[in-house]
Amino acid sequence: MHKLKSDYIKLTSTNRIFCCAKPAIGLTGGIATGKSSASNFFRSKGIPLIDADQLIHQIYAKPQTIEFISQTIPEVISGGKIDFKELRIHFFNDAVLKEKIVNYLFSHLPNEFNQELAKYDDSKFEYFIYDVPLLFERGIQNKIDINLLIYASAATQIERVMKRDGNTEELAKNILSHQLDIEKKRELSDFVIENTKDFKYLEEQLASFITAVTLD
């Protein structure tokens, strides 16, 4: 049975995210810092991991969400589906619209979360990882036992976003402006791993982190 060391179990089910009985490690980062690579590593080790972005995508795919988006910003609906590239432009340029959509998504998140967590065999691990980009922005760090930041500088983030998504520098900077500054996230984090080298280095750092905080 894999467990968190007692020093890192800071909450109970009454004040933990979605009232979970098991301790939670919050995994976060900023856009293009390499958080997804970290998630894939943890999954490869069989560690229960809930991906907040995946949950959001599942909510977006529901007919009631498509109807909500259609009523809110019909111009981003094409062929009965959401054009996410178009939605992203509206989302990051309209603060009121952004808050309305975020509130809708988060109101449906607990149910999706609990369904996903129930899929795991809880006889092997006494903790789980919650991969959530907006950990600090939404104040979720207060509902997580410990958190881990995958870090890259803002300049590196912008460069990676432009290369990965084909975005302009202006749009990349705009996207970053809607996230808490990566240096502030670093200050708030319990653990920080710098993703500035190759993937092998990242894997070594992640393995060391798990060794440091868990008991076999």
Side-chain angles (χ1 to χ4, degrees):
M1 178 73 73
H2 299 272
K3 301 179 180 181
L4 275 187
K5 293 178 180 177
S6 59
D7 289 348
Y8 301 118
I9 302 175
K10 301 177 181 180
L11 305 176
T12 67
S13 60
T14 58
N15 52 17
R16 189 175 290 126
I17 187 79
F18 304 129
C19 299
C20 288
K22 294 190 175 182
I25 297 173
L27 172 64
T28 195
I31 187 169
T33 63
K35 181 180 59 59
S36 294
S37 295
S39 284
N40 291 336
F41 172 82
F42 291 134
R43 283 197 181 99
S44 74
K45 301 303 178 184
I47 300 172
L49 185 143
I50 308 298
D51 184 338
D53 277 349
Q54 179 183 330
L55 299 182
I56 293 297
H57 287 312
Q58 291 170 190
I59 296 170
Y60 267 124
K62 294 181 180 297
Q64 58 266 40
T65 304
I66 296 174
E67 178 63 23
F68 166 77
I69 295 295
S70 178
Q71 293 178 0
T72 306
I73 35 174
E75 58 267 36
V76 306
I77 301 295
S78 177
K81 296 182 179 180
I82 300 171
D83 181 338
F84 285 100
K85 185 174 182 179
E86 188 69 22
L87 176 62
R88 189 179 297 113
I89 294 172
H90 287 269
F91 187 90
F92 287 112
N93 284 286
D94 187 331
V96 174
L97 175 65
K98 176 186 175 183
E99 191 64 19
K100 184 174 183 179
I101 294 174
V102 167
N103 287 340
Y104 174 90
L105 295 171
F106 273 73
S107 70
H108 290 78
L109 198 55
N111 184 58
E112 290 294 319
F113 178 95
N114 287 321
Q115 287 185 31
E116 198 67 24
L117 190 60
K119 295 178 183 178
Y120 286 100
D121 179 0
D122 61 4
S123 66
K124 297 180 180 179
F125 287 86
E126 276 295 321
Y127 69 94
F128 69 94
I129 294 175
Y130 190 31
D131 175 346
V132 52
L134 300 180
L135 182 76
F136 298 115
E137 288 87 341
R138 306 298 296 187
I140 299 171
Q141 78 272 18
N142 299 320
K143 299 179 180 180
I144 297 290
D145 293 87
I146 58 171
N147 61 71
L148 168 65
L149 174 72
I150 308 301
Y151 172 88
S153 70
T156 300
Q157 288 180 272
I158 292 169
E159 180 182 343
R160 288 175 179 174
V161 169
M162 292 172 64
K163 182 177 180 180
R164 184 190 70 187
D165 300 336
N167 290 333
T168 64
E169 183 176 357
E170 180 182 6
L171 179 56
K173 288 181 176 179
N174 191 12
I175 292 171
L176 258 68
S177 74
H178 286 78
Q179 298 182 348
L180 187 65
D181 181 79
I182 195 69
E183 301 303 332
K184 182 62 177 178
K185 289 186 178 185
R186 185 169 191 154
E187 292 175 14
L188 294 170
S189 298
D190 297 316
F191 295 88
V192 177
I193 290 177
E194 294 195 12
N195 184 24
T196 55
K197 299 182 182 180
D198 57 21
F199 183 62
K200 181 179 179 181
Y201 176 80
L202 177 62
E203 284 188 316
E204 290 172 350
Q205 299 305 301
L206 294 169
S208 295
F209 164 74
I210 289 298
T211 300
V213 301
T214 66
L215 300 168
D216 289 336

